[in-house]
Amino acid sequence: MPTLASLSDSDSPLARAATLVRQYAHFRDQALLLALLDYAPNQVAQDNVARKITQASESYRAHGDTRCLTHVADFFWRNVILPIRVTGGQTPEPRSRLSHSGLASADYVRSPAEAEAINDLKSVTETASARDRHRCVVSGKLDPESIANGSSEFSLPHCGLEVTRAAHIIPFSLRDSSEAASGHLPSIWSALECFSGVELGTLMHGGINSLDNIITLSATVHRYFTELQIALEPVPDAPHTYAVRTWGRVAPRLGLPKTVKLASATPGAALPNPAYLALHCAVCRVLWASARAEELEDVLDDLEEVALLAADGSSANLINIAIYRSLAFSRAET
């Protein structure tokens, strides 16, 4: 797949879009738009982003709309980066783990539909854990509960023990249901499909708990995976082999392997979908190349305080709050 550096002298749509960004985009938006072009996970996705930039630039030349490219940057920032980051750590635990943790399910679940969705997770998380040998697929650490329950048929790994969690690659909280639906949800899924370059309709409409959207991670890796500081990038021409990418101050110091190869311990069990992992990795890359990572952390810090005052703590409401807080940050800088 071409990169901006390799196309600097080309007349390709990608190179033309990059030139338009440098000519017409506000300085605050240039890094984000160029990162979207450079790190879109496949050729289709790159073409999608380039098309949006080109169309917006035509509006600038025709109507003098100086914010045309800002609208494109905002479309991806508020419908891809923010929702993935805000909702990424909100995969709920099935009732069995809720009881072990001492949490009362009545306090944790806010609606019958949410209760049903969480209960559906029990089977798929158990299947994913068995598929992944009850280990974090990145660090290799074994979940000690598998030993206590006598379910582990594998020897203790040299890398040690740590409690694992099931993580949704595309966040569980973006599922489409009457209770979870947000006014922004259609725009979020539209932007995700645009930037991923693949069809995501099955995930949006009831498939969010599909086994290929679930990955087993240690508690530590889970935290930084959902905070967009750890990602698995598919290695070309090497099925189910991934380069481990890290960003930030902590994740690069965790001593994680440079590459991992995923394999199923359960015959026929679907492995994590490479397209979903590629999308997650691309979102990480864009965030850290956009010069907005610190801004996003400021938004999230504010979000923690504002959410305490919100009438509804649902993920849809948190997305709305994050979008409005991000809007306030962008206005302050213009």
Side-chain angles (χ1 to χ4, degrees), residues 197-318:
V198 297
E199 170 63 44
L200 299 175
T202 55
L203 285 181
M204 179 180 179
H205 300 294
I208 203 72
N209 286 339
S210 299
L211 185 59
D212 67 345
N213 191 41
I214 307 291
I215 191 168
T216 305
L217 302 174
S218 69
T220 300
V221 173
H222 179 275
R223 171 183 173 178
Y224 294 105
F225 183 88
T226 60
E227 290 183 1
L228 305 184
Q229 297 183 48
I230 293 176
L232 297 180
E233 183 174 41
V235 175
D237 303 319
H240 303 296
T241 302
Y242 298 87
V244 179
R245 304 300 187 192
T246 57
W247 299 266
R249 299 175 181 175
V250 177
R253 302 179 182 181
L254 294 178
L256 299 174
K258 293 183 178 180
T259 61
V260 295
K261 182 175 177 61
L262 305 189
S264 175
T266 306
L271 288 168
N273 192 314
Y276 303 161
L277 288 169
L279 172 57
H280 175 267
C281 184
V283 170
C284 295
R285 284 190 174 280
V286 169
L287 171 63
W288 290 95
S290 69
R292 296 192 187 191
E294 290 186 5
E295 172 193 321
L296 180 52
E297 290 308 309
D298 289 338
V299 169
L300 293 170
D301 287 344
D302 284 355
L303 183 61
E304 290 182 3
E305 299 178 8
V306 175
L308 294 175
L309 305 176
D312 175 13
S314 70
S315 57
N317 199 44
L318 293 179

Side-chain angles (χ1 to χ4, degrees), residues 104-217:
S105 59
D107 295 332
Y108 190 81
V109 178
R110 294 184 175 88
S111 72
E114 187 173 4
E116 181 180 356
I118 294 173
N119 286 336
D120 288 344
L121 274 175
K122 186 175 187 298
S123 175
V124 72
T125 55
E126 290 176 350
T127 301
S129 181
R131 177 199 67 193
D132 299 332
R133 297 176 174 82
H134 310 289
R135 287 169 166 78
C136 172
V137 302
V138 178
S139 70
K141 292 186 177 180
L142 178 68
D143 191 328
E145 289 191 10
S146 68
I147 301 173
N149 297 333
S151 58
S152 178
E153 301 176 359
F154 309 95
S155 59
L156 290 177
H158 69 277
C159 42
L161 305 174
E162 188 174 359
V163 171
T164 61
R165 292 194 61 184
H168 284 73
I169 303 168
I170 308 302
F172 172 86
S173 296
L174 295 181
R175 71 197 186 284
D176 185 12
S177 71
S178 57
E179 284 78 9
S182 150
H184 295 287
L185 204 55
S187 294
I188 289 170
W189 282 101
S190 174
L192 285 172
E193 287 201 335
C194 178
F195 185 60
S196 70
V198 297
E199 170 63 44
L200 299 175
T202 55
L203 285 181
M204 179 180 179
H205 300 294
I208 203 72
N209 286 339
S210 299
L211 185 59
D212 67 345
N213 191 41
I214 307 291
I215 191 168
T216 305
L217 302 174

